[in-house]
Coordinates of all heavy atoms in Angstrom, one line a residue:
L1 N 3.0 -18.7 -4.9 CA 2.5 -17.8 -5.9 C 3.2 -16.5 -5.6 O 3.2 -16.0 -4.5 CB 1.0 -17.5 -5.8 CG 0.4 -16.6 -6.8 CD1 0.5 -17.2 -8.2 CD2 -1.0 -16.2 -6.5
L2 N 3.9 -15.9 -6.6 CA 4.6 -14.7 -6.5 C 4.4 -13.8 -7.7 O 3.9 -14.2 -8.7 CB 6.1 -15.0 -6.4 CG 6.8 -15.5 -7.7 CD1 8.1 -14.8 -8.0 CD2 6.9 -17.0 -7.6
G3 N 4.7 -12.5 -7.5 CA 4.5 -11.6 -8.6 C 4.4 -10.2 -8.1 O 5.0 -9.7 -7.1
S4 N 3.5 -9.4 -8.8 CA 3.3 -8.0 -8.5 C 2.1 -7.7 -7.8 O 1.8 -6.5 -7.4 CB 3.3 -7.2 -9.9 OG 2.2 -7.6 -10.7
M5 N 1.2 -8.7 -7.5 CA -0.1 -8.4 -7.0 C -0.2 -8.3 -5.5 O 0.2 -9.2 -4.8 CB -1.1 -9.5 -7.4 CG -2.6 -9.2 -7.1 SD -3.6 -10.6 -7.5 CE -3.3 -11.7 -6.1
N6 N -0.7 -7.1 -5.0 CA -1.0 -6.9 -3.6 C -2.4 -7.5 -3.4 O -3.2 -7.6 -4.3 CB -1.0 -5.5 -3.2 CG 0.4 -4.9 -3.4 OD1 1.4 -5.3 -2.8 ND2 0.5 -3.8 -4.2
L7 N -2.7 -7.8 -2.1 CA -4.0 -8.3 -1.7 C -4.9 -7.1 -1.3 O -5.1 -7.0 -0.1 CB -3.9 -9.4 -0.7 CG -3.1 -10.6 -1.2 CD1 -3.1 -11.7 -0.1 CD2 -3.8 -11.2 -2.4
D8 N -5.2 -6.3 -2.2 CA -6.1 -5.2 -1.9 C -7.0 -4.9 -3.1 O -6.8 -5.4 -4.2 CB -5.2 -3.9 -1.6 CG -4.4 -3.4 -2.7 OD1 -4.3 -4.1 -3.8 OD2 -3.7 -2.4 -2.5
P9 N -8.0 -4.0 -3.0 CA -8.9 -3.8 -4.1 C -8.3 -3.2 -5.3 O -8.7 -3.4 -6.4 CB -9.9 -2.8 -3.5 CG -9.9 -3.1 -2.0 CD -8.5 -3.4 -1.7
R10 N -7.2 -2.4 -5.1 CA -6.6 -1.7 -6.3 C -6.0 -2.8 -7.2 O -6.1 -2.8 -8.4 CB -5.5 -0.7 -5.9 CG -4.6 -0.3 -7.0 CD -3.9 1.0 -6.7 NE -4.8 2.1 -6.8 CZ -5.1 2.7 -8.0 NH1 -4.6 2.2 -9.1 NH2 -5.9 3.7 -8.0
S11 N -5.3 -3.8 -6.7 CA -4.7 -4.8 -7.5 C -5.8 -5.7 -8.1 O -5.7 -6.1 -9.3 CB -3.8 -5.7 -6.6 OG -2.5 -5.1 -6.5
A12 N -6.9 -5.9 -7.4 CA -7.9 -6.8 -7.9 C -8.7 -6.1 -9.0 O -9.1 -6.7 -10.0 CB -8.8 -7.2 -6.8
L13 N -9.0 -4.8 -8.9 CA -10.0 -4.1 -9.7 C -9.4 -3.1 -10.7 O -10.0 -2.9 -11.8 CB -11.0 -3.4 -8.9 CG -11.8 -4.3 -7.9 CD1 -12.7 -3.5 -7.0 CD2 -12.6 -5.4 -8.6
L14 N -8.2 -2.5 -10.4 CA -7.8 -1.4 -11.2 C -6.5 -1.6 -11.9 O -6.3 -1.3 -13.1 CB -7.7 -0.1 -10.3 CG -9.0 0.4 -9.6 CD1 -8.7 1.4 -8.6 CD2 -9.9 0.8 -10.7
N15 N -5.5 -2.1 -11.2 CA -4.1 -2.3 -11.8 C -4.1 -3.6 -12.6 O -4.8 -4.6 -12.2 CB -3.1 -2.4 -10.7 CG -2.8 -1.1 -10.0 OD1 -3.2 0.0 -10.5 ND2 -2.1 -1.1 -8.9
T16 N -3.2 -3.7 -13.6 CA -2.9 -5.0 -14.2 C -1.8 -5.6 -13.4 O -0.9 -4.8 -12.8 CB -2.5 -4.8 -15.6 OG1 -1.3 -4.1 -15.7 CG2 -3.6 -4.1 -16.4
E17 N -1.7 -6.9 -13.3 CA -0.7 -7.6 -12.5 C -0.2 -8.8 -13.2 O -0.8 -9.4 -14.1 CB -1.3 -8.0 -11.1 CG -2.0 -6.9 -10.3 CD -1.1 -6.0 -9.7 OE1 0.2 -6.2 -9.8 OE2 -1.5 -5.0 -9.0
F18 N 1.0 -9.2 -12.8 CA 1.7 -10.4 -13.4 C 2.1 -11.3 -12.2 O 2.5 -10.9 -11.2 CB 2.9 -10.0 -14.2 CG 3.7 -11.1 -14.7 CD1 3.4 -11.7 -15.9 CD2 4.8 -11.7 -14.0 CE1 4.2 -12.8 -16.4 CE2 5.5 -12.7 -14.4 CZ 5.2 -13.3 -15.7
G19 N 1.9 -12.6 -12.4 CA 2.3 -13.6 -11.4 C 2.8 -14.9 -12.0 O 2.6 -15.2 -13.1
V20 N 3.5 -15.6 -11.1 CA 4.0 -17.0 -11.5 C 3.6 -17.9 -10.3 O 3.8 -17.6 -9.2 CB 5.6 -17.0 -11.6 CG1 6.1 -18.4 -11.9 CG2 6.0 -16.0 -12.7
R21 N 3.0 -19.1 -10.7 CA 2.6 -20.1 -9.8 C 3.6 -21.3 -9.9 O 3.9 -21.7 -11.0 CB 1.2 -20.6 -10.1 CG 0.7 -21.6 -9.1 CD -0.7 -22.0 -9.5 NE -0.7 -22.9 -10.6 CZ -1.2 -22.6 -11.8 NH1 -1.7 -21.4 -12.0 NH2 -1.1 -23.4 -12.8
V22 N 4.2 -21.7 -8.8 CA 5.2 -22.7 -8.8 C 4.8 -23.8 -7.8 O 4.3 -23.5 -6.7 CB 6.6 -22.2 -8.3 CG1 7.6 -23.3 -8.3 CG2 7.0 -21.0 -9.2
R23 N 4.9 -25.1 -8.2 CA 4.7 -26.2 -7.3 C 6.1 -26.8 -6.9 O 6.7 -27.5 -7.7 CB 3.8 -27.3 -8.0 CG 3.5 -28.4 -7.1 CD 2.5 -29.4 -7.7 NE 2.1 -30.4 -6.7 CZ 1.1 -31.3 -7.0 NH1 0.5 -31.3 -8.2 NH2 0.8 -32.2 -6.1
S24 N 6.5 -26.5 -5.7 CA 7.9 -27.0 -5.3 C 8.0 -26.9 -3.8 O 8.0 -25.9 -3.2 CB 8.9 -26.1 -5.9 OG 10.2 -26.3 -5.4
F25 N 8.1 -28.1 -3.2 CA 8.4 -28.2 -1.8 C 9.8 -27.6 -1.5 O 10.0 -26.9 -0.5 CB 8.4 -29.6 -1.3 CG 8.8 -29.8 0.1 CD1 7.8 -29.6 1.1 CD2 10.0 -30.3 0.5 CE1 8.2 -29.8 2.5 CE2 10.4 -30.5 1.8 CZ 9.5 -30.2 2.8
E26 N 10.7 -27.8 -2.4 CA 12.1 -27.2 -2.2 C 12.1 -25.7 -2.1 O 12.7 -25.1 -1.3 CB 13.0 -27.7 -3.3 CG 14.5 -27.3 -3.1 CD 15.4 -27.8 -4.2 OE1 14.9 -28.6 -5.1 OE2 16.6 -27.5 -4.1
L27 N 11.4 -25.1 -3.0 CA 11.3 -23.6 -3.0 C 10.6 -23.1 -1.8 O 11.0 -22.1 -1.2 CB 10.6 -23.1 -4.3 CG 10.3 -21.6 -4.4 CD1 11.7 -20.9 -4.4 CD2 9.5 -21.3 -5.6
T28 N 9.5 -23.8 -1.4 CA 8.8 -23.4 -0.2 C 9.7 -23.4 1.0 O 9.7 -22.5 1.8 CB 7.6 -24.3 0.0 OG1 6.7 -24.2 -1.2 CG2 6.8 -23.8 1.2
Q29 N 10.5 -24.5 1.1 CA 11.4 -24.6 2.3 C 12.4 -23.5 2.3 O 12.8 -23.0 3.3 CB 12.0 -26.0 2.3 CG 11.1 -27.1 2.6 CD 10.4 -27.0 3.9 OE1 9.2 -26.7 4.0 NE2 11.2 -27.1 5.0
A30 N 12.9 -23.2 1.1 CA 13.9 -22.1 1.0 C 13.3 -20.8 1.5 O 14.0 -20.0 2.2 CB 14.4 -22.0 -0.5
L31 N 12.1 -20.5 1.1 CA 11.5 -19.3 1.5 C 11.1 -19.3 3.0 O 11.3 -18.3 3.7 CB 10.2 -19.1 0.7 CG 10.4 -18.8 -0.8 CD1 9.1 -18.7 -1.5 CD2 11.2 -17.6 -1.0
L32 N 10.7 -20.4 3.5 CA 10.5 -20.5 5.0 C 11.8 -20.2 5.8 O 11.7 -19.6 6.8 CB 9.9 -21.9 5.3 CG 8.5 -22.2 4.9 CD1 8.2 -23.7 5.1 CD2 7.5 -21.3 5.6
F33 N 12.9 -20.7 5.2 CA 14.2 -20.5 5.9 C 14.6 -19.0 5.7 O 15.0 -18.4 6.7 CB 15.2 -21.4 5.3 CG 16.6 -21.0 5.6 CD1 17.2 -21.3 6.9 CD2 17.5 -20.3 4.7 CE1 18.5 -20.9 7.2 CE2 18.7 -19.9 5.0 CZ 19.2 -20.2 6.3
A34 N 14.5 -18.5 4.5 CA 15.0 -17.1 4.3 C 14.2 -16.1 5.0 O 14.8 -15.1 5.6 CB 14.9 -16.8 2.8
Y35 N 12.9 -16.2 5.1 CA 12.1 -15.2 5.8 C 11.7 -15.6 7.2 O 10.9 -15.0 7.8 CB 10.8 -15.0 5.0 CG 11.1 -14.3 3.7 CD1 11.0 -15.0 2.5 CD2 11.5 -12.9 3.6 CE1 11.3 -14.3 1.2 CE2 11.8 -12.3 2.4 CZ 11.7 -13.0 1.2 OH 12.0 -12.4 0.0

């Protein structure tokens, strides 16, 4: 899950946010490697 949302009360209650949910082992592995 990626996008603009922080895990804090402002993102949950005050700001509007956009996100994309992806199901992909390949993408997950790329991120584990990159970070």
Side-chain angles (χ1 to χ4, degrees):
L1 183 68
L2 67 136
S4 66
M5 189 185 76
N6 297 303
L7 294 181
D8 65 357
R10 168 160 285 279
S11 281
L13 303 174
L14 297 172
N15 290 345
T16 68
E17 307 287 357
F18 175 88
V20 176
R21 185 181 72 250
V22 179
R23 183 174 187 174
S24 171
F25 176 78
E26 185 179 358
L27 177 60
T28 305
Q29 290 302 111
L31 295 177
L32 290 169
F33 166 76
Y35 292 107

